[in-house]
Amino acid sequence: MNQPQVNPGGTVQKTQTMQEIFTTESGAVYQCDKRNRIFVDFAGSVTAYKIDAFLRLKKAVDSIDLSSMANNTDRCSDYELITLCGCDRMYVLSLPEVYNFKELLSGARFVLELNSMLHECLYAQVA
Amino acid sequence: MKDLLRLRTSLTEEIEKVLNEQIKMEADASAMYLAMSAWCDRNGFDFSAGYFKKQSDEEREHMLRLFKYVSDMGGRAVSPDVTGVQIEFESFRSVFEQALQQEIAVTQSFNRIADRCQKSKDYVTFTFLQWFLKEQIEEEYVARRALELFDVIGEEGTGQYEIDKRIPKITYEDTYEG
């Protein structure tokens, strides 16, 4: 089977149709061309997203105000809940984790955009 | 590696965002015109109430045109929330002043979107916008002519009554002679 596999331990087993698009020390993002999904490996688990959901996830994470989290002394501001409508996965992240998640998703988003630009340049039929 | 972003839509995230902002602007404008219609109605300006109701319908139609375009292109069209609509207006004249200001703001907004489309080489959306840019000539003209009636006729005596009667008769002639 040429499909991305997620091992019981939560790590992603790479296949021919699955490519790593961005990695940091805290996680990794993969693209599966067979299923047209983005796999996000973060906080100990791997979640598959459609591209639209991935973009919504990035938007949700970007909208978190890190400085207000840091400045607020309430216990409830120590963690941030990230949920997406239509997705089962919910993230409960501390401030450093949110920071790392932002970095990971931004990097992945950049690579997706870069890939899009390369496609446009390389496969354009008309100069 | 597949280009997943373009498998979804040829609209860039930026253009999708500005189009959704414009959808909201049109929805706000529609709600505002409806509020103006209600104000005119309860202050006895029957013809103006009908005029603003028609304008409200037109703005909603503009919103739906934009909405359909975003959806047709595979983008995510967002049904906007419209809150805090103004209910009271200072005077009969101020209603029309606000209407003209709103139309000019809409024109400027479309100009900015067209500019962004050119910068991001999105000529499909740029072409789609031509209808709106042309429509704004008429919208601004009608709003400006309506406001000018206050100076031409004057509000004294039966002036406001005469102005109200003239409002629905304003039409835009799309010819070089008009």
Side-chain angles (χ1 to χ4, degrees):
Chain A
M1 286 258 299
N2 207 9
Q3 284 201 6
Q5 301 289 319
V6 180
N7 293 331
T11 55
V12 177
Q13 184 187 321
K14 278 185 268 181
T15 62
Q16 279 181 0
T17 56
M18 189 153 174
Q19 301 197 39
E20 183 181 292
I21 59 174
F22 194 72
T23 311
T24 64
E25 282 183 5
S26 55
V29 177
Y30 306 88
Q31 175 174 320
C32 174
D33 281 355
K34 194 174 177 80
R35 292 166 63 184
N36 292 345
R37 294 285 188 277
I38 300 290
F39 283 74
V40 177
D41 181 359
F42 189 78
S45 67
V46 182
T47 315
Y49 293 98
K50 282 185 183 175
I51 188 73
D52 178 60
F54 174 78
L55 295 174
R56 281 191 288 130
L57 174 70
K58 185 183 177 297
K59 230 176 247 178
V61 175
D62 284 345
S63 68
I64 299 170
D65 186 351
L66 288 175
S67 54
S68 81
M69 258 181 103
N71 291 326
N72 198 331
T73 53
D74 288 346
R75 288 187 70 188
C76 64
S77 71
D78 289 347
Y79 286 89
E80 194 69 43
L81 289 175
I82 302 163
T83 55
L84 272 193
C85 188
C87 296
D88 292 337
R89 181 77 167 93
M90 180 179 76
Y91 292 95
V92 184
L93 303 177
S94 64
L95 193 146
E97 284 173 328
V98 174
Y99 179 82
N100 290 335
F101 205 23
K102 270 192 189 197
E103 187 190 19
L104 177 66
L105 297 180
S106 296
R109 176 73 178 85
F110 170 77
V111 175
L112 286 172
E113 196 62 56
L114 180 65
N115 183 43
S116 206
M117 287 166 79
L118 288 172
H119 265 264
E120 199 182 327
C121 296
L122 294 171
Y123 303 114
Q125 295 297 307
V126 182
Chain B
M1 194 165 89
K2 274 187 191 173
D3 180 4
L4 290 189
L5 286 177
R6 296 292 90 84
L7 269 182
R8 176 179 157 257
T9 171
S10 67
L11 288 178
T12 63
E13 216 178 340
E14 184 205 2
I15 298 296
E16 185 186 287
K17 184 170 170 278
V18 292
L19 288 176
N20 271 315
E21 282 167 2
Q22 191 60 36
I23 286 172
K24 174 158 172 52
M25 193 175 198
E26 298 290 344
D28 286 339
S30 175
M32 173 70 88
Y33 276 133
L34 201 59
M36 287 171 170
S37 172
W39 186 90
C40 287
D41 227 346
R42 65 178 181 272
N43 284 281
F45 302 114
D46 202 20
F47 294 104
S48 299
Y51 161 80
F52 282 122
K53 171 71 176 52
K54 199 169 134 272
Q55 290 298 110
S56 173
D57 290 344
E58 269 185 31
E59 298 303 319
R60 182 172 159 76
E61 187 206 312
H62 295 170
M63 183 196 85
L64 292 175
R65 270 177 193 263
L66 288 158
F67 199 89
K68 183 178 184 313
Y69 175 74
V70 175
S71 293
D72 286 355
M73 293 297 286
R76 197 154 60 101
V78 179
S79 179
D81 56 336
V82 180
T83 52
V85 182
Q86 187 177 345
I87 297 168
E88 294 300 333
F89 298 87
E90 268 183 38
S91 62
F92 189 34
R93 186 191 180 108
S94 77
V95 175
F96 286 90
E97 281 173 348
Q98 219 164 313
L100 178 58
Q101 277 175 359
Q102 185 167 266
E103 287 304 337
I104 290 172
V106 170
T107 306
Q108 288 171 336
S109 180
F110 273 119
N111 272 334
R112 283 194 296 272
I113 299 175
D115 185 50
R116 288 217 198 167
C117 287
Q118 281 206 320
K119 278 180 182 152
S120 58
K121 295 188 170 58
D122 184 350
Y123 294 106
V124 177
T125 307
F126 182 74
T127 306
F128 166 73
L129 289 178
Q130 304 309 305
W131 184 89
F132 289 93
L133 291 166
K134 195 161 178 280
E135 180 75 1
Q136 279 312 114
I137 300 172
E138 180 178 342
E139 297 286 339
E140 266 193 44
Y141 172 88
V142 173
R144 194 174 294 110
R145 278 279 177 266
L147 186 57
E148 281 165 359
L149 288 178
F150 286 80
D151 293 328
V152 175
I153 297 172
E155 290 184 73
E156 299 77 25
T158 56
Q160 287 192 337
Y161 170 73
E162 291 297 332
I163 293 166
D164 185 44
K165 243 182 14 173
R166 290 275 304 178
I167 293 292
K169 291 178 185 157
I170 301 168
T171 50
Y172 178 67
E173 298 290 332
D174 191 13
T175 61
Y176 69 92
E177 297 158 316

